Amino acid sequence: MRKKIIAGNWKMNMTPSETKELISKLKSKCDTNDVDVVFVVPSIDVTTAYECLKGSNIKLGTQNFYFEDKGAFTGEISANMILDAGATYVIIGHSERRGIFKEDNAMINKKLVKAHKAGLLPILCCGESIELREKNTYKEFISEQIKSAFNGISENEAKNTVIAYEPIWAIGTGKTATSDQAEEVCAFIRDIIGTLYNDSVKNEIRIQYGGSVNAGNAKELFGKPDIDGGLVGGASLKEEFASIVNYKS
Ligand code: 13P
């Protein structure tokens, strides 16, 4: 049985002071061992969030990093900085990074390789635009995203990667993929992992769904056999996130 993983991607929201406030509302309600819970916060909030989350099971992550160890890369942060500040997860290849900041598959592969070498736990995002969905070519597109991201990733590293399927048309739009649409693609991604590795990696790797997840649809989505939790945007900034974490009750 794969343990579910429910992560809140705060995106570019919450100052350090607001971080304290939000965590004080969410901490006790999200502190569980039934599922893995991750708060993926802006880098500048990590230290504050780490202090606030002490003594709980909630894990911390950042939304991006650069694959070099150190040096003249103005504006970037390294894997070691993230780990030293107390975060363990990192999102790689979010569609907002790919779209707005022009990160391509080659860059995302370098980041995935480096995250594993450094000991970070990556959440690798993939997902298609509305155009590709309508043209019915989304599977080829996602397959390419996955294959290129996993280039050079060992079997053990693959098992320690979380994949988030986030169809771009469902992000921040209130338009959730139906649970059948989400399941179809998560199962498809699992099959690709099976062909790249073996049945053991295929069965152990965790695949989340993301895109307008809320307290009302979490139970149905997370009940699907190939959906191992969610990557939650907007609803992770509200007390609603606690209901998503506790979707079973
Ligand atoms: P929303 O939940 O706001 O649609 O965002 C999803 C997302 O992009 C999480 O990474």
Side-chain angles (χ1 to χ4, degrees):
M1 264 297 273
R2 296 181 293 270
K3 192 175 185 185
K4 303 270 187 211
I5 172 161
I6 299 175
N9 175 8
W10 291 11
K11 306 194 179 181
M12 197 174 76
N13 295 290
M14 301 291 151
T15 62
S17 324
E18 290 165 342
T19 294
K20 276 188 200 161
E21 225 172 288
L22 181 60
I23 292 182
S24 74
K25 287 187 193 141
L26 288 176
K27 184 176 170 181
S28 62
K29 294 181 195 151
C30 294
D31 187 9
T32 174
N33 238 331
D34 297 344
V35 299
D36 286 333
V37 180
V38 191
F39 288 1
V40 189
V41 305
S43 309
I44 200 153
D45 296 334
V46 169
T47 307
T48 304
Y50 179 78
E51 288 304 317
C52 297
L53 290 172
K54 263 190 186 159
S56 80
N57 291 300
I58 301 166
K59 303 288 189 300
L60 258 179
T62 64
Q63 302 163 14
N64 186 32
F65 83 114
Y66 196 57
F67 54 78
E68 296 286 356
D69 284 331
K70 56 164 67 179
F73 305 103
T74 302
E76 295 295 323
I77 59 167
S78 73
N80 280 342
M81 291 173 189
I82 296 172
L83 287 163
D84 192 62
T88 43
Y89 285 83
V90 67
I91 293 178
I92 296 176
H94 192 280
S95 60
E96 287 148 19
R97 298 292 323 168
R98 294 178 190 259
I100 303 167
F101 300 101
K102 309 291 174 231
E103 292 192 14
D104 60 10
N105 282 341
M107 155 91 71
I108 287 155
N109 172 245
K110 282 185 181 165
K111 290 188 175 188
L112 192 61
V113 168
K114 181 64 189 188
H116 281 299
K117 294 281 174 279
L120 276 169
L121 294 165
I123 300 177
L124 171 77
C125 299
C126 63
E128 81 285 1
S129 63
I130 190 68
E131 291 78 18
L132 296 181
R133 167 69 50 174
E134 283 169 354
K135 273 199 282 179
N136 206 22
T137 54
Y138 58 98
K139 284 191 175 163
E140 290 87 331
F141 180 78
I142 291 165
S143 171
E144 183 53 35
Q145 284 185 322
I146 297 294
K147 286 180 181 158
S148 69
F150 279 86
N151 189 17
I153 297 293
S154 73
E155 190 180 316
N156 208 38
E157 288 168 342
K159 284 183 185 173
N160 284 315
T161 305
V162 175
I163 299 174
Y165 167 55
E166 297 205 311
I168 297 167
W169 46 272
I171 296 177
T173 57
K175 193 175 170 193
T176 321
T178 64
S179 57
D180 286 340
Q181 285 174 321
E183 166 61 20
E184 184 210 23
V185 179
C186 290
F188 171 71
I189 293 169
R190 198 175 297 290
D191 284 340
I192 299 171
I193 294 296
T195 60
L196 291 177
Y197 296 94
N198 51 42
D199 276 358
S200 141
V201 182
K202 172 179 168 175
N203 293 326
E204 279 185 47
I205 196 165
R206 294 187 291 179
I207 305 177
Q208 300 173 310
Y209 166 77
S212 300
V213 174
N214 59 42
N217 58 29
K219 191 171 185 176
E220 184 178 341
L221 286 162
F222 303 166
K224 290 287 178 184
D226 288 292
I227 302 179
D228 305 315
L231 185 55
V232 184
S236 71
L237 301 168
K238 305 185 249 180
E239 292 196 56
E240 180 179 1
F241 190 62
S243 309
I244 298 173
V245 166
N246 297 293
Y247 70 96
K248 278 192 192 147
S249 51

